[in-house]
């Protein structure tokens, strides 16, 4: 692989869902483990330090009790086995370990300690002195033969028997029976603490990469297995796109998870897309067929008129031209509706619109009876609603025997209802939804001389739905067709 293609390969690798999921899970686990390690090591460190403090406290008190109980006989610290100055440590053997101990004289004390017992003493809490001492001007030093409280802790590195190590020291003051105030420093080794904390830290550092590798690998495998159906869906969609065969479907996993729902939704989308494409193809084919007839008729008449002017059928040519114009207008409106054009929200009086439109229909073969109320308002496109009314009236004029009625009223549910009723043969119940499909005409209305192209009712329903309403058909009391356009009231729309 060339150097120039490596970034692309890495980009594809880390751009995949599997890689991002594995890296994300690994990062989260790493953060959690580091936080957990800190949460474990800090308390462990603190607990072991507390234990060392307790050991140092115990050693300091024991040694201070030994000093407090000594009966001085000579003026030297040598009898106690301790150096007279400095912090030169010495090892004192006790029953609980080997603490490091040294003592310092109080700088205000001028008395040299003496002892008549040179065994180093292992004071086991023996009795204190008589507690009598002279007032030294408010000093907080312990009374003669008594010890004070632990004054503090510190960590120092000292060398014992040639071995350097860290010790936790406790300090305590003591006044011996000769009135000398000393400061005893006793230290407990921190080797156990360092060993335990170090072992835990090393174990965590060694185990962390292994655990992260396991988490990343498992996440990668699990994600790969979970996304395998998605890859199958992708491949099938790519094949459908390449073949343009919308009848194919993507595989649906047997599981009831998100991927299965995605597959089902994809197949539903493909079904809807296939139906839309089929509908579009039929629409184009039907439109071409409907346009071909008037165009062919018009061409024939013009050719005859050109050859034999006295035979030119001018009214027929005008009728074919008008029919062609109406068909083109219908196709244009359907194209705009299919493109998602939303109607305007103009506030208009539907009753006034009906009266105005009916008054302009002077060429209808059957007079139209109008029954409307006052102030029944809706919101929408005046032109499109007038188009719906005109299509419904045209349909009624073609089928009515002698009566066409239009009414506008407010229903009990608050909606506005525009109804067009005729006394024709009606619409069979099995055909009541089919008549709203494009280019559909029932057998009784297939004559192109008497009927349109089968787009009027389809346009009417599309306009009704885009105005938030419905258009349905039922039988009228007289046996004919009863078309009902239901629209939201302007009052209800304003209230919402």
């Amino acid at each position: 692989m060339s150097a120039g293609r490596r970034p692309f390969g890495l980009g594809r690798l880390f751009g995949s869902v599997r890689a991002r999921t594995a890296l994300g899970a690994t990062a989260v686990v790493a953060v959690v483990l580091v936080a957990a390690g800190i949460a474990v090591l800090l308390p462990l460190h603190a607990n072991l330090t507390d234990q060392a403090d307790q050991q140092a406290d115990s050693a300091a008190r024991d040694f201070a009790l030994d000093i407090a109980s000594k009966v001085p006989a000579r003026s030297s610290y040598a009898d106690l086995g301790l150096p007279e100055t400095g912090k030169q440590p010495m090892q004192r053997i006790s029953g609980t370990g080997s603490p490091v101990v040294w003592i310092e004289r109080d700088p205000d004390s001028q008395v040299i300690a003496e002892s008549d017992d040179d065994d180093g003493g292992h004071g086991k809490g023996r009795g204190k002195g008589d507690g009598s001492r002279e007032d030294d001007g408010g000093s907080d030093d312990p009374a003669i033969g008594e010890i004070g409280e632990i004054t503090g802790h510190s960590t120092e590195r000292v060398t014992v028997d040639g071995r350097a190590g860290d010790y936790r020291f406790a300090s305590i003051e003591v006044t011996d029976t000769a009135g000398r105030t000393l400061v005893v420093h006793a230290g407990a080794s921190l080797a156990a603490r360092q060993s335990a904390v170090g072992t835990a830290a090393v174990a965590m550092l060694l185990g962390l990469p292994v655990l992260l590798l396991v988490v990343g690998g498992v996440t990668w495998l699990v994600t790969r297995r979970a996304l395998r159906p998605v890859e199958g869906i992708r491949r099938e969609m790519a094949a459908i796109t390449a073949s343009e065969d919308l009848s194919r479907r993507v595989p649906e996993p047997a599981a009831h998870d998100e991927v299965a729902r995605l597959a089902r939704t994809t197949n539903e989308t493909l079904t809807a897309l296939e139906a839309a494409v089929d509908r579009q193809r039929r629409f184009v084919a039907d439109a071409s067929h409907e346009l071909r007839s008037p165009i062919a008729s018009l061409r024939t008449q013009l050719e005859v008129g050109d050859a034999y002017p006295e035979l030119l059928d001018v009214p027929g040519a005008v009728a074919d031209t008008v029919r062609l114009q109406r068909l083109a207008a219908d196709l244009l409106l359907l194209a705009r509706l299919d493109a998602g054009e939303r109607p305007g929200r103009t506030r208009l009086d539907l009753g006034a619109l009906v009266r105005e439109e009916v008054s302009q229909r002077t060429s209808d073969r059957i007079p139209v009876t109008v029954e409307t109320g006052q102030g029944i308002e809706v919101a929408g496109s005046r032109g499109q609603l007038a188009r719906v009314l005109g299509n419904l009236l045209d349909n009624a004029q073609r089928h009515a025997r002698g009566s066409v009625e239009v009414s506008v009223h407010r229903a009990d549910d608050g909606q506005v209802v525009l109804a067009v009723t005729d006394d024709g043969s009606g619409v069979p119940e099995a055909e009541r939804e089919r008549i709203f499909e494009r280019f559909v005409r029932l057998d009784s209305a297939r004559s192109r001389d008497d009927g349109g192209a089968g787009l009027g009712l389809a346009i009417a329903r599309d306009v009704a739905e885009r105005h938030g309403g419905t258009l349905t058909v039922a039988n009228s009391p007289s046996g004919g067709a009863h078309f009902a356009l239901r629209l939201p009231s302007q009052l209800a729309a304003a209230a919402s």
Side-chain angles (χ1 to χ4, degrees):
M1 181 181 295
S2 63
R5 295 182 60 184
R6 286 179 183 172
F8 176 76
L10 291 176
R12 289 189 60 184
L13 174 62
F14 293 105
S16 67
V17 175
R18 293 193 300 270
R20 291 199 301 269
T21 303
L23 290 176
T26 303
V28 170
V29 172
V31 171
V32 172
L33 289 179
V34 170
I38 294 174
V40 170
L41 292 178
L42 289 181
L44 178 62
H45 184 278
N47 290 336
L48 293 176
T49 301
D50 290 341
Q51 293 180 11
D53 287 343
Q54 294 174 6
Q55 294 176 4
D57 292 349
S58 177
R61 287 193 179 95
D62 288 346
F63 202 82
L65 286 173
D66 286 346
I67 295 176
S69 62
K70 289 293 181 182
V71 178
R74 289 177 293 276
S75 59
S76 175
Y77 287 112
D79 294 331
L80 296 176
L82 300 172
E84 294 189 8
T85 58
K87 291 186 178 181
Q88 180 182 353
M90 66 163 291
Q91 190 175 21
R92 170 178 165 80
I93 306 299
S94 66
T96 58
S98 303
V100 174
V101 181
W102 75 75
I103 63 173
E104 295 176 331
R105 282 188 298 174
D106 189 321
D108 295 331
S109 176
Q110 301 299 324
V111 182
I112 301 299
E114 295 182 355
S115 175
D116 59 358
D117 186 359
D118 59 358
D119 60 0
H122 293 277
K124 304 297 182 182
R126 291 175 292 184
K128 300 178 182 179
D130 58 8
S132 62
R133 62 172 297 178
E134 295 182 358
D135 186 5
D136 58 359
S139 174
D140 293 332
D141 294 337
I144 296 175
E146 292 186 355
I147 65 174
E149 297 294 332
I150 299 296
T151 59
H153 298 89
S154 62
T155 302
E156 298 190 31
R157 188 170 185 82
V158 297
T159 301
V160 179
D161 294 337
R163 295 182 179 179
D166 293 329
Y167 285 76
R168 188 69 173 170
F169 283 91
S171 301
I172 188 172
E173 291 185 344
V174 58
T175 303
D176 62 12
T177 55
R180 293 170 297 191
T181 299
L182 309 174
V183 180
V184 177
H185 303 277
S189 176
L190 293 176
R193 184 195 72 179
Q194 294 171 343
S195 176
V197 173
T199 301
V202 170
M204 292 180 182
L205 290 176
L206 293 178
L208 180 61
V210 176
L211 184 57
L212 293 181
L213 287 176
V214 172
V215 170
V218 171
T219 304
W220 175 278
L221 294 176
V222 171
T223 307
R224 179 182 180 183
R225 181 180 181 86
L227 294 179
R228 188 174 299 165
V230 177
E231 178 61 21
I233 295 174
R234 187 202 64 78
R235 286 196 300 267
E236 186 64 23
M237 288 297 294
I240 293 173
T241 303
S243 64
E244 299 183 357
D245 182 7
L246 296 179
S247 64
R248 299 174 62 173
R249 295 295 180 264
V250 300
E252 294 186 12
H256 301 283
D257 54 9
E258 292 83 354
V259 177
R261 291 195 293 271
L262 172 63
R264 287 193 292 272
T265 303
T266 302
N267 285 333
E268 292 171 359
T269 303
L270 289 172
T271 301
L273 183 60
E274 182 184 15
V277 171
D278 290 342
R279 185 169 60 250
Q280 188 70 20
R281 289 172 178 169
R282 290 196 305 270
F283 175 77
V284 173
D286 292 339
S288 301
H289 178 73
E290 294 295 334
L291 286 171
R292 183 172 58 185
S293 297
I295 290 175
S297 176
L298 182 61
R299 177 180 177 180
T300 299
Q301 295 182 53
L302 292 176
E303 288 177 347
V304 171
D306 182 56
Y308 307 98
E310 68 278 5
L311 300 179
L312 177 62
D313 183 8
V314 175
V318 172
D320 284 340
T321 303
V322 171
R323 182 183 173 195
L324 186 62
Q325 182 181 13
R326 289 179 177 175
L327 181 57
D330 288 344
L331 294 176
L332 178 61
L333 178 56
L334 283 174
R336 288 161 52 190
L337 293 175
D338 289 342
E341 179 181 291
R342 306 301 300 177
R345 304 301 297 173
T346 304
R347 184 172 179 174
L348 53 93
D349 188 330
L350 190 59
L353 172 65
V354 169
R355 290 191 295 269
E356 181 180 351
E357 292 295 320
V358 171
S359 66
Q360 296 177 2
R361 297 177 64 91
T362 58
S363 61
D364 287 344
R365 67 181 183 88
I366 298 176
V368 179
T369 303
V370 178
E371 180 183 352
T372 66
Q374 298 292 330
I376 302 178
E377 296 183 336
V378 296
S381 169
R382 189 186 189 285
Q384 292 185 9
L385 292 178
R387 186 65 172 275
V388 172
L389 176 61
N391 291 349
L392 294 178
L393 289 175
D394 290 342
N395 181 77
Q397 290 288 336
R398 286 194 295 270
H399 297 88
R401 295 188 180 94
S403 172
V404 176
E405 299 178 357
V406 179
S407 65
V408 178
H409 64 277
R410 195 182 304 278
D412 295 338
D413 58 1
Q415 288 191 319
V416 174
V417 179
L418 185 155
V420 177
T421 306
D422 63 70
D423 61 349
S425 58
V427 181
E429 185 174 356
E431 304 288 346
R432 289 179 183 174
E433 286 299 317
R434 183 170 172 265
I435 62 173
F436 292 107
E437 297 178 5
R438 299 174 183 182
F439 298 105
V440 170
R441 288 170 296 183
L442 302 184
D443 293 338
S444 60
R446 285 193 178 275
S447 173
R448 289 188 176 87
D449 296 333
D450 297 334
L455 294 177
L457 295 180
I459 291 174
R461 171 164 280 188
D462 282 353
V463 171
E465 291 176 350
R466 279 165 174 76
H467 279 75
T470 60
L471 178 61
T472 57
V473 62
N475 287 334
S476 66
S478 60
H482 175 82
F483 287 87
L485 171 66
R486 302 176 67 89
L487 297 172
S489 171
Q490 174 63 22
L491 297 178
S496 60

